[in-house]
């Protein structure tokens, strides 16, 4: 894609998979582990299976970014290793590692270093806990002052507000310090990272979960949301940990996808100067809906839920069962006192925030795509930022854009997501086949390819939606819409190559068949 960096030049190899040619692309910066997973996926071998790769002569090929490229006429083959082979190698590696560990321990006095590090960690944990106690004391003072004001109002004959379950001081609940104050490290983000976070080109694959949590925490502080909603900083950390723990380890709908969508939302806020056009409450709603939008996603879509008559489909009467579930889990987490980032928000204001977040998460159901986009198209030519209905419609379109925005990113960032999504689709279609349920062609491993999966989606869903938003924010054309057009062209070229290879294989088969008949 035009926005990609030259430092991420991809490498191509060709595999023999059950007699068919399989093309595999990966970045030269991929780790051997990532390449092995990609090879397993491409060869229909379960992930995490130990494998080896051989050339047509049977010679071993190293599985790392430096491996030699081949051609469709000289195919590599991926072979899973047997348990016996693994056992012998593991024993050998264990012996070598034991000897190395013993030598390192003697040379560098590892045990003494361990003791010193443990002692330092204990001191740091104590300091974090004390800081948490300070925050809680401040909260207690605020609550005591509120009680005093309420008592004075009551004695003066004024009207006392009804207690709300989110106002913990009123019903006797107290925010007590937990001994498990969030332990993920507080990363100091470099200026380079801070600037990169604001752009759709941000590479989401280079970050561990702890680092992604720190980036999300930074976004809330940077946008002024912590101050606007009077959030307890420790509560924000606990809430983010609670969010991460409630995303499952699906191939696609996982915590990294959550971070992707949230980072794209943060990028669009900056790119479209939304701070000048929307309120801080609106920005908080956009960011929080993005963070929560796929909580506890089971990896099987609404169509499966409804056809299989799952508990979720029954509970929500077949109406956006997954999106309704994401909302429910989001507010179950927020109902925990230690995770309620909106604890200090006025109850009436919280009610409106809650409704707005629900509206946005429900808008991510692709079954409603046409309805929502048509509504926005009718408003965009005469858009009014003072009109609440217009702003709500814009926020719905923004979260939809962010949710399916992977193809806006550079090719080396976007393409692995296609593999992840297809893996999740294939898991679902395999299950549907085994349960006798209908299978969508775009999810069937026997019918779909990467180019066919992407071309229609980019042409008829992504580009029209982003071009509609471009009418309101022309500045997104170069950095968001043009990469989508480039991505469409990229997959159309790949389809032409695939079609040519299929046609060549077909002719080869026909010629062999004719040759056999002549004999």
């Amino acid at each position: 894609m035009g926005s990609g960096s030259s430092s991420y030049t991809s490498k191509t190899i060709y595999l023999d998979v059950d007699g068919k040619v399989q093309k595999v692309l990966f970045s030269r910066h991929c780790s051997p582990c990532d390449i092995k997973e990609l090879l397993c996926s491409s060869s229909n071998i379960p992930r995490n299976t130990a494998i080896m790769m051989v050339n047509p002569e049977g010679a071993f090929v190293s599985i790392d970014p430096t491996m030699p490229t081949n051609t469709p006429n000289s195919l590599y083959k991926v072979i899973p290793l047997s348990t016996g082979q693994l056992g012998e190698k593991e024993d050998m590696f264990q012996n070598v590692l034991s000897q190395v560990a013993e030598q390192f321990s003697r040379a560098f006095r590892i045990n003494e270093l361990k003791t010193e590090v443990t002692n330092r960690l204990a001191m740091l944990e104590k300091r974090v806990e004390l800081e948490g106690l300070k925050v809680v004391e401040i909260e207690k003072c605020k609550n005591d002052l509120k009680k005093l004001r309420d008592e004075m109002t009551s004695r003066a004959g004024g009207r006392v507000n009804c207690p709300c379950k989110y106002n913990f001081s009123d019903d006797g609940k107290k925010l007590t310090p937990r001994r498990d104050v969030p332990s993920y490290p507080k990363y100091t983000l470099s200026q380079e990272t801070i600037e990169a976070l604001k752009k759709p080109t941000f590479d989401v694959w280079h970050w561990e979960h702890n680092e992604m949590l720190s980036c999300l925490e930074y976004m809330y502080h940077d946008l002024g949301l912590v101050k606007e909603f009077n959030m307890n900083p420790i509560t924000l950390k606990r809430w983010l940990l609670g969010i991460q723990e409630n995303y499952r380890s699906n191939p696609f709908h996982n915590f990294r996808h959550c971070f992707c969508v949230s980072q794209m939302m943060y990028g669009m806020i900056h790119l479209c100067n939304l701070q000048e056009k929307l309120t801080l409450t609106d920005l908080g709603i956009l960011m929080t809906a993005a963070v929560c939008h796929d909580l506890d996603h089971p990896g099987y879509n609404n169509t499966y839920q409804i056809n299989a008559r799952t508990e979720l489909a029954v509970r929500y009467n077949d109406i956006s069962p997954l999106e309704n579930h994401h909302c429910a889990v989001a507010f179950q987490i927020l109902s925990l006192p230690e995770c309620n980032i909106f604890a200090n928000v006025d109850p009436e204001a919280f009610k409106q925030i809650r409704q707005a977040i629900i509206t946005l998460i429900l808008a991510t159901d692709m079954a409603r795509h046409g309805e929502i986009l048509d509504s926005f198209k009718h408003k965009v030519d005469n858009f009014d930022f003072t009109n609440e209905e217009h702003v709500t419609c814009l926020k719905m379109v923004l979260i939809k854009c962010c949710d399916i925005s992977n193809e806006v990113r550079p090719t080396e960032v976007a393409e692995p997501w296609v593999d992840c999504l297809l893996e999740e689709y294939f898991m679902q279609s395999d299950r549907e086949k085994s349960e006798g349920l209908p299978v969508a062609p775009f999810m069937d491993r026997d019918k779909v390819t990467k180019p066919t999966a992407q071309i229609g989606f980019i042409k008829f869903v992504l580009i029209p939606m982003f071009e509609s938003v471009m009418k309101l924010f022309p500045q997104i054309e170069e950095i968001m819409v043009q990469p989508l057009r480039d991505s469409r062209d990229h997959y159309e070229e790949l389809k032409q190559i695939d079609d040519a290879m299929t046609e060549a294989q077909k002719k080869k088969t026909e010629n062999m068949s004719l040759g056999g008949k002549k004999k």
Side-chain angles (χ1 to χ4, degrees):
M1 248 166 31
S3 57
S5 168
S6 61
S7 63
Y8 291 100
T9 308
S10 60
K11 192 166 188 176
T12 306
I13 62 167
Y14 298 87
L15 302 179
D16 175 1
V17 180
D18 299 328
K20 296 180 181 177
V21 177
Q22 176 66 53
K23 181 181 178 182
V24 179
L25 288 90
F26 58 89
S27 164
R28 295 179 187 273
H29 297 278
C30 279
S31 67
C33 183
D34 291 337
I35 296 172
K36 284 179 181 177
E37 284 199 7
L38 185 56
L39 291 174
C40 285
S41 177
S42 303
S43 304
N44 302 325
I45 296 171
R47 294 173 70 186
N48 301 325
T49 302
I51 59 170
M52 63 181 179
M53 192 161 67
V54 297
N55 66 14
E57 287 75 41
F60 291 108
V61 180
S62 62
I63 302 178
D64 60 57
T66 64
M67 72 172 76
T69 54
N70 61 341
T71 68
N73 297 322
S74 176
L75 301 176
Y76 292 159
K77 192 170 185 68
V78 176
I79 303 170
L81 290 171
S82 67
T83 312
Q85 290 172 302
L86 286 172
E88 292 173 11
K89 289 192 175 183
E90 283 174 3
D91 289 344
M92 183 175 69
F93 276 121
Q94 285 298 329
N95 289 336
V96 172
L97 284 173
S98 298
Q99 292 174 24
V100 171
E102 189 177 344
Q103 290 172 11
F104 265 92
S105 185
R106 288 175 186 164
F108 296 107
R109 301 167 66 193
I110 296 296
N111 291 332
E112 290 90 333
L113 280 171
K114 266 188 188 174
T115 305
E116 185 180 344
V117 169
T118 303
N119 291 338
R120 287 195 181 186
L121 279 174
M123 287 172 65
L124 286 170
E125 284 172 358
K126 185 66 178 173
R127 282 179 62 186
V128 170
E129 188 171 334
L130 288 172
E131 289 299 319
L133 281 167
K134 285 180 188 176
V135 172
V136 172
E137 285 302 316
I138 292 168
E139 292 297 316
K140 186 176 183 302
C141 287
K142 286 182 181 176
N143 290 334
D144 288 345
L145 279 170
K146 187 179 185 303
K147 277 186 178 180
L148 188 58
R149 285 197 195 99
D150 289 345
E151 285 175 18
M152 290 172 70
T153 305
S154 179
R155 286 173 188 169
R159 187 176 173 189
V160 182
N161 291 329
C162 295
C164 170
K165 72 173 183 175
Y166 295 101
N167 192 341
F168 303 120
S169 62
D170 287 341
D171 62 2
K173 294 181 182 177
K174 293 181 181 177
L175 185 59
T176 53
R178 291 170 33 159
R179 296 200 63 82
D180 59 336
V181 171
S183 57
Y184 68 86
K186 172 68 177 176
Y187 292 94
T188 302
L189 303 182
S190 68
Q191 193 58 40
E192 184 184 3
T193 298
I194 287 170
E195 289 307 312
L197 267 177
K198 298 175 183 175
K199 299 174 184 175
T201 51
F202 187 81
D203 190 342
V204 295
W205 293 106
H206 287 175
W207 305 86
E208 300 298 328
H209 279 191
N210 286 344
E211 294 169 319
M212 290 189 279
L213 287 167
S214 284
C215 287
L216 289 171
E217 188 182 351
Y218 170 81
M219 293 175 201
Y220 270 74
H221 281 279
D222 178 57
L223 291 172
L225 305 180
V226 174
K227 186 176 180 181
E228 173 68 14
F229 297 109
N230 194 17
M231 292 180 191
N232 179 331
I234 299 295
T235 304
L236 175 62
K237 280 178 172 284
R238 287 203 191 99
W239 175 70
L240 287 169
L241 274 172
I243 292 293
Q244 183 217 320
E245 289 165 2
N246 281 279
Y247 273 91
R248 300 194 196 183
S249 299
N250 299 315
F252 185 92
H253 290 101
N254 50 40
F255 180 64
R256 193 175 299 278
H257 169 66
C258 152
F259 177 70
C260 251
V261 176
S262 306
Q263 185 272 322
M264 188 63 75
M265 181 66 78
Y266 178 72
M268 289 196 80
I269 287 171
H270 283 282
L271 184 61
C272 302
N273 298 319
L274 294 181
Q275 301 99 319
E276 298 174 8
K277 301 180 184 298
L278 302 180
T279 66
L280 274 173
T281 298
D282 284 328
L283 299 187
I285 289 164
L286 283 168
M287 286 300 300
T288 306
V291 169
C292 298
H293 83 285
D294 269 333
L295 275 167
D296 197 42
H297 195 297
Y300 300 93
N301 69 13
N302 280 331
T303 302
Y304 173 82
Q305 305 296 325
I306 293 165
N307 289 339
R309 300 176 186 175
T310 64
E311 184 186 340
L312 284 181
V314 172
R315 181 183 303 160
Y316 295 111
N317 304 309
D318 294 349
I319 301 169
S320 303
L322 288 182
E323 290 71 26
N324 274 295
H325 180 60
H326 306 324
C327 291
V329 175
F331 286 98
Q332 283 169 3
I333 295 170
L334 282 168
S335 71
L336 301 172
E338 65 270 27
C339 295
N340 187 6
I341 55 174
F342 298 117
N344 296 319
V345 172
D346 174 76
E348 191 57 37
F350 174 77
K351 187 177 178 181
Q352 293 175 5
I353 289 168
R354 167 175 155 78
Q355 189 54 56
I357 290 172
I358 290 171
T359 298
L360 296 200
I361 294 177
L362 292 180
T364 61
D365 182 355
M366 285 303 293
R368 298 182 58 203
H369 177 78
E371 159 213 335
I372 293 169
L373 187 56
D374 285 346
S375 175
F376 180 71
K377 284 179 176 178
H378 282 110
K379 297 175 177 64
V380 72
D381 290 330
N382 299 293
F383 197 86
D384 180 2
F385 279 97
T386 64
N387 183 315
E388 188 179 341
E389 185 184 342
H390 283 212
V391 170
T392 297
C393 189
L394 171 63
K395 288 189 291 187
M396 292 165 76
V397 170
L398 286 174
I399 195 168
K400 284 175 59 57
C401 284
C402 295
D403 187 23
I404 54 176
S405 62
N406 284 326
E407 290 303 326
V408 169
R409 301 181 187 274
T411 304
E412 66 274 1
V413 180
E415 199 155 349
W417 281 116
V418 184
D419 295 315
C420 294
L421 186 60
L422 288 177
E423 184 177 348
E424 199 166 293
Y425 280 174
F426 295 159
M427 283 168 55
Q428 176 172 322
S429 61
D430 289 347
R431 183 167 179 173
E432 286 168 332
K433 289 173 185 177
S434 70
E435 293 177 3
L437 298 173
V439 178
F442 69 89
M443 300 178 85
D444 192 334
R445 68 170 74 246
D446 299 321
K447 296 179 181 178
V448 73
T449 63
K450 276 202 319 199
T452 57
Q454 291 301 94
I455 292 170
F457 188 67
I458 296 169
K459 285 172 72 171
F460 302 116
V461 177
L462 288 176
I463 291 178
M465 181 166 65
F466 276 85
E467 285 182 339
S468 296
V469 176
M470 187 178 75
K471 289 183 179 179
L472 199 57
F473 304 108
Q475 61 267 44
I476 75 166
E477 178 168 18
E478 181 182 354
I479 201 165
M480 300 187 86
V481 179
Q482 189 55 44
L484 286 175
R485 295 167 181 158
D486 292 341
S487 182
R488 172 200 60 202
D489 297 343
H490 167 69
Y491 281 110
E492 284 182 338
E493 286 173 11
L494 285 181
K495 186 176 185 302
Q496 288 175 2
I497 294 169
D498 285 355
D499 290 347
M501 288 178 68
T502 303
E503 186 63 28
Q505 187 65 37
K506 184 180 175 183
K507 285 182 179 178
K508 184 179 178 183
T509 305
E510 287 174 355
N511 290 338
M512 289 175 67
S513 176
L514 287 170
K517 286 180 181 178
K518 286 178 182 178
K519 288 179 182 179

